[in-house]
Amino acid sequence: VNETMPISWQATGTIGYVKLNYTANNGLDNYPYSILNATGGTYFNSSDSYDWTIPESAQISEQVKIKVWAVNDPENITDSSTGSLSIRGKLNLTSPNGGEVWQVGTNQTISWIRTGTNLGNISIKYSDNNGTSYNYTIVSSIDSGSPYEYTWTIPDVMAENPSVRFDKMKVKIASVNTPNYTYDESDDPFYIVPKIEITRPDLYNRTFYVDDNESVTWTTEGTLDYVNIYYSSNNGTNWTQIANQYLNNGSYLWQVPNFINGNNKLKVCSYYDPDTPEACDISLNFTIKPKIVLVYPVGGEHLYVEDTCQIQWEPHGTLGTVEIKYSNDSGLSWSTIASNLSGTSYNWTVPDDMGQNNKKIRVSSEIYPEVNATSDLFSIHGIINVTKPEGNQNVVANSTDTPIRWT
């Protein structure tokens, strides 16, 4: 179709004009299809030749014959091709045509250009060995016409060989009627990779604290046995590997490092191809913050006036100096005990501020005030110290002048 077929004939005697017709089934249909001349008419000279441009609407067949017949005597003055010839359509696969990277489970478009409106249905197959064989059928029969495309849900091609790279894929489209003659295939191979999607960090889990053990989770479409995991503290400009050839079970327990900023990312990649972006997934940005863990008091303690209470805390990450505040009204208001502290403890003289279960201590970073640790409620009690009678002192029975004194 759309190519030129030279037709020639020779008349003996004066027979006038002739017409040209063709058949698509070796003449059993009585040659119903007209061949038009260069001006769109049907008359030709009695002896001539004609370069016929086969039209888009021509019949597609392997059993074509040409017949020439005299307009004045069509029954007696006629001749036809001795043998059969073929009129074939054309197929041009436009996608995938090489270089594409498609993920398992995604919908991708196979598209083509068809030449010949009567080409009929086509089959679509794929190869995983660079076109040496096409053993896998995508669709066995589909109309080759509009919209000239087919939506293919990418299968799990690596199900039986999860450790193999499937980068030698090709697609072939072929006429159902003449698959050996009318077909096209991808010019170059394309690549199918598993689809990895990080599910944590996510929109609701985007703040992590130094030294915490956080679960990094992901899903995979397509069979994949191992992954690599990477971390970036500069928005993905540079990556540090934190796990190599890790079993792809969808979860990794990660100890959060001391990189205090909001430009952190995680990346999970196929172990077999960590360099192809489609074989990886990158998380949303998340924030890493320092953390303070209050060791003492934590709540429930009974402290006594003028005793020394060692307030203790654990810093996690670079949080600078800290300040300590005290509340005697269950946290409604606070007063500063000490500031600009760089250690992990502070000796506090318990004040004369007695109360039952209404005291709190808070340790806060002075660089990051939102980073703090607050105790639960504790109590402060007074102390009664008996000074008279003294220990081991003898007291006279029934006496009325024995002093009892206390502070």
Side-chain angles (χ1 to χ4, degrees):
V1 175
N2 285 346
E3 293 184 354
T4 299
M5 176 190 292
I7 305 172
S8 59
W9 61 95
Q10 182 69 44
T12 300
T14 303
I15 63 171
Y17 289 111
V18 300
K19 289 187 176 184
L20 302 176
N21 283 50
Y22 73 96
T23 176
N25 64 355
N26 276 331
L28 297 179
D29 55 3
N30 202 27
Y31 295 86
Y33 307 108
S34 296
I35 296 175
L36 302 181
N37 61 31
T39 61
T42 58
Y43 283 22
F44 295 87
N45 292 326
S46 59
S47 294
D48 208 345
S49 62
Y50 178 57
D51 290 333
W52 180 38
T53 300
I54 302 173
E56 182 75 20
S57 59
Q59 298 300 304
I60 307 297
S61 173
E62 298 295 302
Q63 298 177 327
V64 174
K65 287 186 175 182
I66 306 296
K67 177 180 180 180
V68 56
W69 51 278
V71 173
N72 294 327
D73 192 359
E75 295 297 329
N76 297 307
I77 304 176
T78 182
D79 192 25
S80 61
S81 307
T82 303
S84 297
L85 55 96
S86 301
I87 293 179
R88 297 169 182 161
K90 295 179 184 178
L91 290 170
N92 178 21
L93 182 68
T94 55
S95 177
N97 208 30
E100 297 87 352
V101 182
W102 287 351
Q103 296 172 315
V104 172
T106 60
N107 291 329
Q108 302 294 339
T109 299
I110 299 171
S111 60
W112 60 88
I113 297 171
R114 179 194 70 180
T115 303
T117 57
N118 293 308
L119 190 147
N121 285 7
I122 60 172
S123 64
I124 307 177
K125 296 183 177 183
Y126 74 88
S127 166
D128 61 5
N129 55 15
N130 206 30
T132 300
S133 60
Y134 286 88
N135 296 325
Y136 306 98
T137 298
I138 298 173
V139 59
S140 58
S141 183
I142 186 176
D143 189 353
S144 62
S146 180
Y148 309 103
E149 63 183 38
Y150 178 79
T151 300
W152 183 30
T153 301
I154 304 303
D156 183 7
V157 296
M158 58 281 297
E160 296 181 2
N161 294 291
S163 60
V164 173
R165 285 173 55 125
F166 284 80
D167 55 0
K168 294 179 174 58
M169 309 297 298
K170 284 190 174 184
V171 161
K172 179 179 181 180
I173 57 175
S175 165
V176 170
N177 295 324
T178 55
N180 294 327
Y181 302 119
T182 307
Y183 63 89
D184 193 26
E185 60 185 4
S186 307
D187 288 346
D188 295 300
F190 63 96
Y191 189 10
I192 291 181
V193 297
K195 181 183 179 182
I196 299 171
E197 185 172 355
I198 295 176
T199 54
R200 190 176 190 273
D202 57 17
L203 286 172
Y204 306 103
N205 297 277
R206 298 184 69 178
T207 301
F208 294 162
Y209 295 92
V210 174
D211 293 335
D212 279 3
N213 289 320
E214 293 286 352
S215 291
V216 180
T217 60
W218 63 91
T219 60
T220 307
E221 289 195 60
T223 304
L224 178 64
D225 49 4
Y226 295 105
V227 297
N228 288 349
I229 306 174
Y230 304 84
Y231 164 70
S232 172
S233 61
N234 55 10
N235 206 30
T237 301
N238 303 103
W239 294 96
T240 300
Q241 188 176 79
I242 58 177
N244 178 60
Q245 201 172 359
Y246 180 76
L247 183 65
N248 183 26
N249 60 12
S251 180
Y252 176 76
L253 194 62
W254 178 50
Q255 186 175 38
V256 179
N258 184 23
F259 288 100
I260 312 301
N261 67 67
N263 298 316
N264 302 284
K265 287 179 179 290
L266 286 164
K267 179 169 69 170
V268 180
C269 297
S270 166
Y271 166 70
Y272 305 100
D273 188 3
D275 299 320
T276 298
E278 291 85 351
C280 302
D281 192 37
I282 298 175
S283 73
L284 299 170
N285 278 22
F286 60 91
T287 299
I288 293 179
K289 292 183 177 181
K291 182 178 71 169
I292 298 172
V293 176
L294 193 60
V295 177
Y296 188 87
V298 294
E301 295 86 357
H302 294 271
L303 307 183
Y304 295 92
V305 174
E306 295 186 359
D307 277 2
T308 297
C309 170
Q310 188 177 70
I311 300 171
Q312 303 172 42
W313 63 93
E314 293 178 355
H316 294 267
T318 305
L319 49 80
T321 57
V322 302
E323 69 171 358
I324 305 175
K325 290 189 174 183
Y326 163 71
S327 172
N328 62 4
D329 55 7
S330 301
L332 295 177
S333 60
W334 297 88
S335 60
T336 300
I337 295 173
S339 60
N340 198 32
L341 301 175
S342 57
T344 59
S345 66
Y346 176 77
N347 291 328
W348 176 47
T349 301
V350 179
D352 185 3
D353 188 19
M354 293 180 290
Q356 185 75 19
N357 289 327
N358 64 346
K359 317 300 182 186
K360 285 189 172 187
I361 288 292
R362 175 180 291 167
V363 180
S364 302
S365 166
E366 292 181 313
I367 299 177
Y368 309 105
E370 74 279 7
V371 177
N372 58 72
T374 303
S375 73
D376 287 337
L377 297 171
F378 60 89
S379 302
I380 293 179
H381 306 285
I383 298 176
I384 298 176
N385 182 28
V386 178
T387 59
K388 292 291 185 177
E390 297 177 356
N392 298 319
Q393 179 182 343
N394 293 324
V395 178
V396 177
N398 296 322
S399 66
T400 60
D401 60 350
T402 300
I404 301 174
R405 297 188 177 92
W406 63 87
T407 58

